[in-house]
Amino acid sequence: MKVTMVMLATVDGKTTEGDNTNIYTWTSLEDQKYFFPLINSYSVIVMGGKTYEAVRSILKLKENKLRIVLTRHPKKYSLQTIKGQLEFSNEEPKQLVRRLSMIGYKKILLVGGSIINGLFLKDNLIDELYLTVEPKIFGKGKNIVEGQSLNKSLRLINIEKLNKEGTLLLKYKIKK
C-alpha cells in the first residue's frame, strides 16, 4: 500500500495561522489548483478529527471516494457516517492500512492533521510527502507533525515553483 502525505505549511512550518484552522484564508490559489485534482485522483483519503472539523463545511462527498476520519470517538459521528463515502474509525494506522489493503485499495492520501501525520510517520507507513510551502511566517500555529519524537530522513524527488510570490511544491520520498 502506498501512502502519500500531503501538507501545506508556511516557511516557518506552521499549518494553521494561530488557532485559525481555515487554511483557505491564507493558501494560494495555485496550491488549491494543485490540491483539489490531487484529491480527485485518490479513492481513499484519510484525515484526523480536527482536520475533518476544519473542512466539514466544504467537504464534497462522492461515490467511489472513501474518506476515513481517524478519531478516538467514532460513535460521536455515527449520524454523519455514509458507508463507502465518509467513515469514522479509531483504528491504529497500521490496522487501517492493513484493512484497506485487504479489501483491494492500493494507495491512500493522508491529509492531516499533525497528530495523525505523526502516528503514520512513527509506524513507517508514509512513502512520500507532498509539501506546499507558502511564503508566509506566522510564528504561532500547528506544526506538520506533533505528538511524536521522530528522526526521519527524506529525499527530494521534485521541486516546483507555483507562482511569482514563491509558493513551492516539494515532493519527497520518505526513507524507511
Side-chain angles (χ1 to χ4, degrees):
M1 173 79 71
K2 181 177 179 182
V3 179
T4 302
M5 182 172 85
V6 61
M7 287 300 295
L8 166 73
T10 61
V11 170
D12 61 339
K14 301 304 175 190
T15 62
T16 64
E17 185 176 8
D19 293 330
N20 181 5
T21 58
N22 183 357
I23 63 169
Y24 300 107
T25 61
W26 60 272
T27 184
S28 64
L29 181 60
E30 292 82 7
D31 174 65
Q32 293 175 46
K33 286 181 178 178
Y34 171 76
F35 179 69
F36 290 113
L38 181 66
I39 287 276
N40 289 333
S41 71
Y42 280 77
S43 55
V44 179
I45 297 154
V46 175
M47 68 188 82
K50 290 179 184 173
T51 300
Y52 171 70
E53 291 297 339
V55 301
R56 184 167 77 177
S57 64
I58 62 164
L59 196 62
K60 293 182 172 102
L61 300 178
K62 298 178 183 178
E63 288 185 28
N64 301 320
K65 183 169 298 298
L66 175 59
R67 295 174 194 259
I68 298 176
V69 179
L70 292 178
T71 174
R72 290 184 202 101
H73 310 287
K75 289 180 182 176
K76 172 183 168 183
Y77 299 98
S78 61
L79 295 177
Q80 296 173 47
T81 299
I82 301 171
K83 186 80 174 147
Q85 291 184 41
L86 179 61
E87 298 177 5
F88 300 85
S89 172
N90 60 0
E91 292 170 282
E92 294 295 322
K94 281 184 181 179
Q95 291 175 300
L96 176 66
V97 169
R98 188 177 314 116
R99 177 175 65 87
L100 292 172
S101 183
M102 289 178 66
I103 57 177
Y105 289 104
K106 304 280 187 229
K107 59 183 189 170
I108 294 172
L109 188 65
L110 181 66
V111 297
S114 60
I115 293 171
I116 297 300
N117 291 344
L119 292 171
F120 271 76
L121 282 165
K122 178 184 168 204
D123 285 346
N124 291 315
L125 297 172
I126 298 177
D127 299 291
E128 293 180 340
L129 165 61
Y130 296 174
L131 176 64
T132 300
V133 179
E134 292 286 0
K136 296 184 179 292
I137 296 174
F138 292 153
K140 290 186 178 180
K142 291 201 178 280
N143 296 313
I144 293 169
V145 175
E146 293 183 15
Q148 300 295 327
S149 179
L150 300 167
N151 184 2
K152 297 289 178 187
S153 295
L154 293 76
R155 182 176 53 82
L156 185 65
I157 300 169
N158 189 42
I159 184 168
E160 183 179 345
K161 186 175 175 183
L162 297 182
N163 59 30
K164 65 181 180 176
E165 285 78 24
T167 299
L168 301 176
L169 174 59
L170 309 172
K171 294 184 180 181
Y172 290 98
K173 176 101 174 132
I174 307 285
K175 294 181 180 180
K176 294 186 179 183

